[in-house]
Amino acid sequence: MAFSVLYWVNFCSGTKKLSQKSESAVKSDHVLKFIYDPELSHVEGRVQASMRDRSYHVTLTLGENDTVIDSKCDCVNGQDKCHHKASLLLYGYKNVSKTDVRASWIQHPKSRPPKKTMTMEELFPPPPKLATYR
Ligand SMILES: [Zn+2]
């Protein structure tokens, strides 16, 4: 199940800034969550804002002829086109087919890299200045 790049192309058409900003957001891993439901033509996700401590919830409804018929985003431009929406579309194009490839790998566990085990202390190292809080 491929995700057409045309959703992104159509969404960004005539707005170079939108395509540039969304490209850099995808490159910087600003798409934190991406869910695609092909049956409902529904895309949902979370895109990190330029400010580090914020992220926006984005929903998109895909229509015929590779268009986006409905979209929402939490940001100030959320009612209009914003690069968060565009980022999700681009992310979908770049990653939906990859997900299929990964699914086929899982059927061959031998090709998976060995699991690295870590102790609880390695995962959650104690804070170094704990004594000073007592
Ligand atoms: Zn937005």
Side-chain angles (χ1 to χ4, degrees):
M1 191 85 54
F3 191 96
S4 174
V5 70
L6 291 174
Y7 291 117
W8 180 69
V9 171
N10 289 335
F11 189 82
C12 297
S13 77
T15 320
K16 217 178 169 191
K17 220 177 176 181
L18 208 58
S19 53
Q20 283 174 343
K21 276 185 109 174
S22 57
E23 263 187 324
S24 76
V26 170
K27 258 188 214 161
S28 323
D29 289 324
H30 278 187
V31 178
L32 306 175
K33 194 173 125 192
F34 177 88
I35 303 163
Y36 172 45
D37 188 335
E39 263 176 56
L40 298 174
S41 302
H42 182 79
V43 179
E44 194 175 336
R46 198 158 263 286
V47 181
Q48 192 176 312
S50 312
M51 279 192 299
R52 281 206 148 197
D53 56 342
R54 280 223 65 175
S55 66
Y56 299 118
H57 183 229
V58 183
T59 52
L60 300 157
T61 308
L62 308 175
E64 282 177 20
N65 305 316
D66 305 311
T67 53
V68 177
I69 51 173
D70 195 21
S71 62
K72 282 193 194 92
C73 177
D74 285 346
C75 78
V76 281
N77 298 317
Q79 298 302 314
D80 199 17
K81 287 186 176 182
C82 68
H83 85 273
H84 310 113
K85 295 172 183 174
S87 303
L88 266 200
L89 294 170
L90 182 63
Y91 185 91
Y93 161 66
K94 289 193 171 182
N95 291 276
V96 166
S97 56
K98 273 188 205 165
T99 313
D100 292 345
V101 173
R102 200 188 301 146
S104 70
W105 281 357
I106 292 167
Q107 291 165 9
H108 307 281
K110 275 179 192 168
S111 64
R112 275 198 285 178
K115 264 190 186 171
K116 203 180 152 197
T117 46
M118 285 179 93
T119 64
M120 285 303 281
E121 255 193 20
E122 282 175 87
L123 287 170
F124 306 103
K129 284 179 187 168
L130 196 66
T132 58
Y133 292 113
R134 278 179 192 162

